[in-house]
Amino acid sequence: MFEQIFESVRQKSPLVHCITNYVTVNDCANMLLACGGSPIMADDPGDAVEITSICGGLTINIGTLNQRTIPAMLAAGKRANELGHPVVLDPVGAGASTLRTDTALRLLKEVKFAVIRGNISEIKTLASGSGTTKGVDADVADRVTEDNLDGAVSFVKELARRIGAVIAVTGAIDIVADEERAFCIRNGRPEMSSITGTGCQLSALTAAFVTANPDQSLEAAAAAVCAMGLCGEVAYKRMTGLDGNASYRNYIIDAMYRLTPAELEKGANYEMR
């Protein structure tokens, strides 16, 4: 299944518009190129709508918000919806500040997303509508473990139903779910958290996979998560005593560049719930 999805990315070379944060914009562009896609970065309101119109997909990352980029995100998202192009949201830091939380919630209200990818804290913020949780959402821990996995899966499925999007929660165990099915993914390395931007790269990667496979959003998002984690594993094996997190970042991008669809199919470590 994942082999065909990744093969589609390689063959179609989807053009993805990224409105992302300036900390990781270069890494996101290189990750898209490494997987076989093509990136365009445009975050000015006078440019974003037109650029979105010529692309196949859009990813919106709120990592470095400002009053110029927020209108561009909304306008580009609405234009992508008009064209039927998939949109991926990365609600970086939702819950950490009023601006981030309010912007993420406004985006959810005004833009239809194919996939929303974040950590469990960010996703809980979206679920509750504020920086604190309540009701059923409060029962979900801030870290997904084997012990609470069933409860986390139920929470993610319910949120996917409420929002109408695939929800990808990444952490030690990744959950990618729609309202009926969930992939529980165990690829990756803990050292990936030492690199700024692996999540941002994954969101851009997810946009490429979903753009190339628009009728399989769940499977495409899960394939992207598995691919990123698998590349983290492969890259870690290259590390020497002289290497640090900067080398590790480059090795992950190199691993994606060299990853084959067959290797992804073989190396993807997941179960369905």
Side-chain angles (χ1 to χ4, degrees), residues 89-140:
L89 174 65
D90 189 338
V92 178
S97 74
T98 300
L99 180 63
R100 289 172 186 263
T101 302
D102 289 351
T103 300
L105 295 176
R106 184 180 177 189
L107 284 163
L108 277 184
K109 182 179 179 180
E110 299 186 25
V111 177
K112 170 67 176 175
F113 291 96
V115 181
I116 300 169
R117 190 220 64 82
N119 62 39
I120 188 62
S121 177
E122 293 159 350
I123 297 301
K124 284 173 65 177
T125 294
L126 299 186
S128 65
S130 68
T132 58
T133 55
K134 57 185 177 181
V136 64
D137 303 334
D139 294 329
V140 180

Side-chain angles (χ1 to χ4, degrees), residues 24-231:
T24 63
V25 62
N26 185 63
D27 290 340
C28 290
N30 280 313
M31 181 56 71
L32 280 169
L33 290 168
C35 80
S38 296
I40 295 184
M41 277 59 179
D43 62 8
D44 188 274
D47 192 37
V49 171
E50 190 173 356
I51 292 299
T52 288
S53 299
I54 65 172
C55 293
L58 169 67
T59 182
I60 296 175
N61 178 313
I62 68 168
T64 51
L65 284 176
N66 60 63
Q67 297 303 323
R68 176 180 58 83
T69 57
I70 293 172
M73 292 175 178
L74 291 163
K78 292 174 183 178
R79 181 57 176 156
N81 287 168
E82 292 172 358
L83 295 170
H85 296 170
V87 188
V88 174
L89 174 65
D90 189 338
V92 178
S97 74
T98 300
L99 180 63
R100 289 172 186 263
T101 302
D102 289 351
T103 300
L105 295 176
R106 184 180 177 189
L107 284 163
L108 277 184
K109 182 179 179 180
E110 299 186 25
V111 177
K112 170 67 176 175
F113 291 96
V115 181
I116 300 169
R117 190 220 64 82
N119 62 39
I120 188 62
S121 177
E122 293 159 350
I123 297 301
K124 284 173 65 177
T125 294
L126 299 186
S128 65
S130 68
T132 58
T133 55
K134 57 185 177 181
V136 64
D137 303 334
D139 294 329
V140 180
D142 288 326
R143 181 171 176 267
V144 178
T145 67
E146 296 291 351
D147 291 337
N148 64 24
L149 184 56
D150 285 339
V153 166
S154 296
F155 161 73
V156 176
K157 285 182 176 179
E158 173 59 20
L159 182 60
R161 184 193 67 79
R162 284 162 48 188
I163 294 179
V166 172
I167 307 295
V169 179
T170 51
I173 303 172
D174 305 312
I175 302 171
V176 182
D178 61 15
E179 62 181 289
E180 296 179 348
R181 297 174 295 155
F183 288 81
C184 298
I185 299 167
R186 295 177 176 81
N187 286 112
R189 293 283 312 184
E191 293 83 2
M192 295 175 76
S193 64
S194 69
I195 302 170
T196 296
T198 50
C200 301
Q201 292 174 54
L202 174 55
S203 293
L205 185 71
T206 300
F209 274 57
V210 175
T211 300
N213 300 274
D215 297 324
Q216 295 178 281
S217 293
L218 175 63
E219 293 83 358
V225 172
C226 287
M228 188 72 184
L230 182 58
C231 287

Side-chain angles (χ1 to χ4, degrees), residues 9-42:
V9 177
R10 296 288 200 197
Q11 290 178 351
K12 294 181 179 179
S13 189
L15 185 60
V16 178
H17 179 196
C18 300
I19 303 179
T20 189
N21 77 73
Y22 52 71
V23 176
T24 63
V25 62
N26 185 63
D27 290 340
C28 290
N30 280 313
M31 181 56 71
L32 280 169
L33 290 168
C35 80
S38 296
I40 295 184
M41 277 59 179

